[in-house]
Amino acid sequence: MDPAKYRDVKVQRGLIYHYYYSPPAAGKPTLLFIHGFPSTSFDWHRQVAYFEPKGYGLIVPDTIGYGGTSKPQEYEAFRFKLQAQDLIDVLDAENPATVIGIGHDWGSAVLSNIAHWHQDRFAGFVWTALSYLPPRTEEFVLEIAWQTMRKLVGSDIYGYWELFNQPDGHVICEKNIDSFLQLAYPINPEVWRDDFTDVGKAKAWIESNRQPGHGPWLTEEEYKTMREALLKGGLQSPMNFYKAAIANVNVQDHRDLPAENWQVKKPALFVAATRDYVCRAVLGRANMQKYAPHAEIFELDTGHWVQLEATEEYNAALEQWIEKTPTARL
């Protein structure tokens, strides 16, 4: 991704957002790509390489806590309603006519909140790995979530949140950065099933500095770029995504949300990863069927990093969906 195509904008609440921008050709929509943890806009570089030559507009931000974007240390700054407004402010800086929102991981959670508060601004939505998430109006209790997930899918799923919620969680991960990254971007998806999702296992992996290698779908140059970006920016601010969720900073906003805003009315696509042991495809399908029953669901036999593990298939699925969805085109 050409560094010269990055821009900076100060959003209404005073934070600086750093984002990649490429204007659309005539007749093409603009794609807003929203990354997750532990990532930067670079996570979408293969999509940029595919869609930019075809004339699609691109807005690819470093989300709050990452890259060249502001890195607040207080978790209250990570309220989803605030993040959604931030990205609307980024859009306002470029004012594209037609926008499709595309999210992955925590980016999918942010995209869900964009759909809650700003749905009319978008022509369509694409959720990747993590599906649309309905508003949470009841308090989240991590220990109860573990129990619930054990009953539903047989593992804690949120087990690693315990480490990320610790005051020194970022220190542990930064000290053993390669072990952390090789757990985050694993050599095979089943590493998450065996060593990530259950309570205590992620911390044990990272503190023992295990390094079996990263996913084979990452080149050494890509891995180096990701590593350098995380070390430069640090993990303290990004881990506030988890702290904010555990602290229930979004509950009141979601209680105030009108009931009609819970449903996705615009065209939607969910790209599910059948070997993702955190963002379980079965749970994602259930959410889409309840809140966006018209959505298309496309499954890929990958782990969590769909856009990297199955780049060609993912890009083709996105393009085909956009081109056959009239309201998602100019």
Side-chain angles (χ1 to χ4, degrees):
M1 295 167 69
D2 184 355
K5 294 185 178 181
Y6 275 86
R7 300 183 176 190
D8 294 295
V9 65
K10 180 181 286 189
V11 299
Q12 292 181 48
R13 59 172 168 150
L15 302 179
I16 300 298
Y17 269 73
H18 188 62
Y19 63 97
Y20 184 92
Y21 177 67
S22 182
K28 292 290 188 179
T30 292
L31 311 181
L32 171 67
F33 285 101
I34 312 171
H35 71 81
F37 179 94
S39 312
T40 65
S41 54
F42 181 74
D43 256 20
W44 299 109
H45 67 284
R46 296 183 187 175
Q47 284 63 55
V48 169
Y50 182 82
F51 285 102
E52 187 170 27
K54 293 174 177 284
Y56 290 89
L58 298 169
I59 296 178
V60 193
D62 292 331
T63 64
I64 181 174
Y66 295 97
T69 292
S70 295
K71 300 172 182 62
Q73 298 306 305
E74 63 280 3
Y75 62 73
E76 292 86 356
F78 286 72
R79 279 170 52 201
F80 283 138
K81 186 178 181 181
L82 299 180
Q83 292 190 62
Q85 182 61 55
D86 291 345
L87 292 181
I88 294 300
D89 293 345
V90 172
L91 290 181
D92 286 344
E94 304 300 344
N95 198 30
T98 303
V99 185
I100 297 168
I102 303 166
H104 175 257
D105 189 80
W106 280 111
S108 285
V110 174
L111 185 66
S112 297
N113 282 267
I114 288 175
H116 297 158
W117 301 102
H118 306 283
Q119 189 159 169
D120 290 345
R121 185 68 181 270
F122 287 76
F125 300 98
V126 179
W127 283 275
T128 309
L130 180 64
S131 71
Y132 168 81
L133 295 179
R136 176 177 285 279
T137 57
E138 300 298 326
E139 290 195 351
F140 176 86
V141 180
L142 188 56
E143 292 78 5
I144 294 176
W146 292 337
Q147 296 169 15
T148 301
M149 288 300 114
R150 286 181 203 130
K151 293 177 182 178
L152 284 176
V153 298
S155 79
D156 299 341
I157 288 188
Y158 301 105
Y160 63 97
W161 286 34
E162 182 183 44
L163 170 61
F164 293 172
N165 192 49
Q166 291 180 4
D168 65 342
H170 65 287
V171 176
I172 294 170
C173 294
E174 290 168 6
K175 180 181 177 181
N176 303 290
I177 189 64
D178 288 297
S179 180
F180 167 74
L181 281 174
Q182 289 172 31
L183 181 58
Y185 296 88
I187 196 166
N188 64 69
E190 285 64 43
V191 167
W192 278 19
R193 180 193 63 198
D194 300 334
D195 292 289
F196 190 52
T197 57
D198 287 326
V199 178
K201 288 193 172 182
K203 185 176 183 180
W205 171 293
I206 295 167
E207 286 190 325
S208 66
N209 202 25
R210 290 179 63 182
Q211 296 185 39
H214 59 71
W217 28 269
L218 279 181
T219 68
E220 290 305 317
E221 187 63 30
E222 288 171 328
Y223 179 81
K224 180 181 177 181
T225 298
M226 293 172 169
R227 185 183 190 277
E228 290 178 350
L230 281 184
L231 283 176
K232 182 178 180 180
L235 284 162
Q236 184 172 6
S237 185
M239 283 185 179
N240 279 322
F241 275 92
Y242 299 92
K243 292 180 172 69
I246 292 170
N248 290 295
V249 301
N250 301 297
V251 168
Q252 190 57 55
D253 289 334
H254 287 170
R255 287 174 178 169
D256 294 340
L257 189 70
E260 60 268 22
N261 289 31
W262 286 47
Q263 296 293 316
V264 179
K265 305 177 184 69
K266 295 298 181 72
L269 171 66
F270 172 43
V271 182
T274 60
R275 294 167 67 195
D276 187 335
Y277 295 96
V278 172
C279 302
R280 298 293 184 109
V282 63
L283 301 178
R285 285 194 298 269
N287 275 338
M288 300 307 293
Q289 289 162 5
K290 184 173 182 179
Y291 298 102
H294 60 285
E296 291 191 32
I297 298 177
F298 183 75
E299 292 188 348
L300 285 169
D301 182 27
T302 69
H304 183 68
W305 302 98
V306 181
Q307 71 272 41
L308 299 170
E309 294 182 51
T311 301
E312 292 183 5
E313 296 92 334
Y314 179 73
N315 290 346
L318 285 186
E319 185 176 27
Q320 290 169 14
W321 178 81
I322 292 168
E323 290 302 316
K324 71 181 181 183
T325 305
T327 56
R329 293 183 280 111
L330 295 176

